[in-house]
Amino acid sequence: MGKIKTFVINAAILTSTSLLMRSVGMLFGVYLSNKIGALGMGLYGLIMSVYTFAVTLSLSGINLASTRMVAEELACESGLGAKRAMRRCLLYSCFFGLLAAGLLGLNAEWIAQNLLNDERAIASLRLLCITLPLLSMSAAISGYFNAVRRVIKSASAQIFEQFIKIGVTIALLQFLMPKGLEYACIAIVLGGAVSEALSFAYLFILYCIDKRRFTKVGASRGHFTRRMLVIALPIALSTYLRSALSSVNQLLIPKGLMAYGATNEQALAQYGLVCGMVLPVVNFPAAFLISFSSLLVPELAQYYTKNDRAHIHTIIHRVLQCTLLFSVGVAGVLFGFANELGQGLYQSAEAAVFIRMLAPLVMVMYLDIAVDNMLKGLNEQLRSMQYNIIDSAVCLVLIYTLLPRFGIFGYIVVIFISEILNAFLSLNRLIKVSDCQLDLWMWVLKPIIAIAFAVLLSRAGMLLLGRAVPNAVLQMVLAIALTGILYYALLRLFGCITKGNVKTFQKAMR
């Protein structure tokens, strides 16, 4: 099978999986928000902000290390080298997973009392320790499947995990929810722990079966431990700092809201509204980009190893074009249908306001996702992490200064400044190392005009649909689908998508 076709098929698999996962995850999030309320989502969000740092410690850069090392060994046609690289990666991930679990478990009570100011989080934090070693080793194996272009296996594990998590969590909520908010969080965390354990077992079995294919000795690059540490440890150290700053930022948000005048319950509710309800909606369409761009890491790593700048330039040019066309369309849909999304998902006018406010930022947020992954493939991961650390440090200062004065709207300003700063630094570095340039007229300005017309025409169509389709949610779905069709047609009309682009895609699919 040709490399382009393999890439497209893997991208389609990962995108479909990610879209399914995010769809189910967002619906599950809607279910949880309606079940435990904005206050419950706020408490759960604070617990997860601490857990995120523990996850960062457990991963310690292993996903990228396994992807790059296996891809490099396969580029040298050394199957045995790839297996030896994976053995090092699994031992590394197991060590850091156990270390993170031990630290979180031993300090759970202190964290809940002194950082979260809520003892209801203690039991949940201790339960989360179970998942850390399993999650770390799963990340190493997922990196392997990305490198060998068999992403359907890791994708199937994600689907399996998600549905187990939802089923177990819903069942546990029926028993534990009546006991209070603490037990509701325990139910959610325990559901995740059970699903993570089963998912790891499934993924590990697939890996053991798949690695039997590689028997060639080849010209291995050797020095596995050193290479792994050179890739993983610098990323680990920088992600520790960034994750610590991010966790502090998340913990400071409720405190800043209380300094503005909100009570503890009100602060948790506002935090839960933006971080637990609005941002998942804004980030949901990124499923298309995250899966696609993650596959660029091994592709660009191989071309970088061979110093094939022509292929690198072509890939980056096309990815930037696709990312901007897509993100402009998503931003227009979120802005134009914010009221329908807020009411349809959460029955909340306040959620609709924040969706509309954050919609224009989608163009920057999604571009940053793609650029970060391309930098990793070009061995620029340390630069990317430096920018993330700068971004988190700036956020820390802004949260500390703006939230006590402007409340939740100050946090929206922080999100804007953070995303724009990070994207600017990353994009500037990518342009410098690849010599690619953005075509703002064809990739940004014309698409903005196209999506504006598409949304206006679709909203006019909603008035007609109101009589034929009485269900408001179905009206919204049909209107958004119509917007997408009109947007694509206008992009073709404006020359943003050419016949050559379409033929390239059709050729790859064939």
Side-chain angles (χ1 to χ4, degrees):
M1 188 183 294
K3 288 191 67 175
I4 295 178
K5 186 173 182 180
T6 302
F7 180 85
V8 171
I9 290 174
N10 283 330
I13 291 169
L14 272 186
T15 301
S16 301
T17 302
S18 183
L19 185 59
L20 174 63
M21 295 273 289
R22 283 189 174 238
S23 299
V24 174
M26 191 175 74
L27 292 175
F28 183 54
V30 172
Y31 166 81
L32 288 179
S33 66
N34 291 329
K35 190 80 173 177
I36 66 178
L39 176 61
M41 293 298 289
L43 177 60
Y44 179 65
L46 287 180
I47 293 170
M48 295 309 291
S49 69
V50 174
Y51 178 62
T52 299
F53 179 72
V55 168
T56 301
L57 177 59
S58 70
L59 296 180
S60 293
I62 195 58
N63 182 266
L64 179 61
S66 63
T67 298
R68 286 199 57 186
M69 287 178 67
V70 173
E72 289 168 358
E73 290 300 314
L74 294 181
C76 301
E77 298 185 354
S78 177
L80 292 179
K83 289 194 281 189
R84 290 181 64 189
M86 277 303 298
R87 280 197 292 270
R88 300 293 199 287
C89 290
L90 286 171
L91 287 172
Y92 176 97
S93 60
C94 183
F95 170 78
F96 279 99
L98 291 172
L99 176 64
L103 291 174
L104 180 60
L106 292 172
N107 295 285
E109 185 174 349
W110 183 87
I111 291 171
Q113 292 174 346
N114 295 279
L115 296 182
L116 305 186
N117 297 318
D118 201 320
E119 292 188 352
R120 292 174 293 185
I122 295 175
S124 295
L125 289 172
R126 285 176 175 160
L127 281 172
L128 284 169
C129 297
I130 301 170
T131 66
L132 293 170
L134 305 176
L135 189 148
S136 181
M137 289 187 286
S138 294
I141 297 173
S142 294
Y144 163 85
F145 282 123
N146 276 350
V148 300
R149 277 79 168 180
R150 289 177 177 262
V151 297
I152 191 170
K153 298 190 176 184
S154 54
S156 64
Q158 293 175 33
I159 295 172
F160 174 70
E161 178 186 344
Q162 184 77 310
F163 282 99
I164 292 293
K165 176 182 177 179
I166 291 172
V168 173
T169 302
I170 291 175
L172 289 172
L173 280 173
Q174 301 304 315
F175 292 101
L176 298 178
M177 181 69 188
K179 296 182 179 181
L181 201 56
E182 176 184 1
Y183 288 90
C185 289
I186 289 173
I188 300 170
V189 167
L190 190 56
V194 172
S195 64
E196 189 67 50
L198 294 175
S199 174
F200 168 72
Y202 171 77
L203 197 59
F204 186 73
I205 291 170
L206 291 180
Y207 164 69
C208 290
I209 295 171
D210 189 84
K211 70 177 182 177
R212 295 174 184 172
R213 298 183 299 118
F214 300 111
T215 56
K216 289 184 179 180
V217 177
S220 173
R221 297 185 65 186
H223 307 291
F224 297 103
T225 301
R226 182 179 64 81
R227 285 165 55 206
M228 178 184 68
L229 296 178
V230 166
I231 296 172
L233 285 184
I235 295 175
L237 293 173
S238 55
T239 51
Y240 297 160
L241 179 56
R242 189 213 175 184
S243 184
L245 288 170
S246 178
S247 295
V248 171
N249 287 341
Q250 295 301 308
L251 296 175
L252 282 177
I253 293 168
K255 295 181 185 296
L257 295 175
M258 285 189 285
Y260 180 68
T263 65
N264 182 53
E265 303 289 295
Q266 290 171 337
L268 278 179
Q270 290 179 345
Y271 174 76
L273 173 68
V274 175
C275 296
M277 297 163 66
V278 172
L279 284 176
V281 174
V282 173
N283 288 321
F284 169 72
F288 290 97
L289 285 177
I290 291 174
S291 303
F292 174 77
S293 60
S294 67
L295 289 173
L296 295 173
V297 176
E299 293 293 329
L300 287 173
Q302 287 196 359
Y303 288 128
Y304 178 80
T305 302
K306 298 174 182 177
N307 197 29
D308 189 344
R309 296 191 63 83
H311 274 101
I312 291 173
H313 189 279
T314 300
I315 290 173
I316 292 175
H317 179 88
R318 289 177 178 172
V319 170
L320 290 176
Q321 177 189 15
C322 293
T323 299
L324 286 169
L325 294 181
F326 175 74
S327 59
V328 169
V330 171
V333 168
L334 290 174
F335 188 87
F337 297 96
N339 290 334
E340 289 77 11
L341 289 167
Q343 292 292 342
L345 294 174
Y346 303 115
Q347 295 78 50
S348 171
E350 195 174 5
V353 171
F354 288 116
I355 290 172
R356 178 164 284 126
M357 289 178 68
L358 290 172
L361 194 59
V362 162
M363 293 180 284
V364 177
M365 294 168 67
Y366 289 13
L367 180 64
D368 191 42
I369 291 170
V371 170
D372 273 357
N373 277 298
M374 288 189 285
L375 286 175
K376 290 174 184 175
L378 296 174
N379 201 32
E380 292 286 334
Q381 60 271 9
L382 291 183
R383 286 281 189 174
S384 180
M385 289 310 305
Q386 287 173 8
Y387 301 149
N388 289 333
I389 291 169
I390 292 171
D391 166 32
S392 296
V394 171
C395 280
L396 182 64
V397 175
L398 292 175
I399 288 172
Y400 185 78
T401 56
L402 293 182
L403 265 67
R405 297 184 62 188
F406 302 105
I408 194 64
F409 292 101
Y411 180 52
I412 300 298
V413 173
V414 172
I415 295 174
F416 266 84
I417 295 174
S418 164
E419 294 291 343
I420 292 171
L421 174 64
N422 200 326
F424 172 79
L425 293 173
S426 299
L427 182 61
N428 183 64
R429 183 62 185 175
L430 181 68
I431 291 172
K432 185 175 292 186
V433 299
S434 67
D435 296 325
C436 284
Q437 298 294 327
L438 293 181
D439 189 340
L440 294 178
W441 174 242
M442 295 299 292
W443 298 352
V444 179
L445 297 179
K446 276 190 174 182
I448 288 175
I449 297 171
I451 193 61
F453 275 109
V455 169
L456 289 173
L457 291 172
S458 296
R459 290 201 64 85
M462 283 184 69
L463 299 176
L464 301 176
L465 286 173
R467 298 178 181 178
V469 184
N471 185 281
V473 175
L474 184 56
Q475 284 182 31
M476 177 185 67
V477 172
L478 292 174
I480 291 175
L482 178 60
T483 302
I485 295 170
L486 291 172
Y487 179 56
Y488 173 75
L490 289 169
L491 289 179
R492 290 295 305 274
L493 180 65
F494 292 168
C496 301
I497 297 178
T498 64
K499 289 183 179 179
N501 298 142
V502 176
K503 287 181 178 179
T504 299
F505 179 76
Q506 290 174 342
K507 181 181 178 181
M509 293 304 294
R510 287 196 298 269

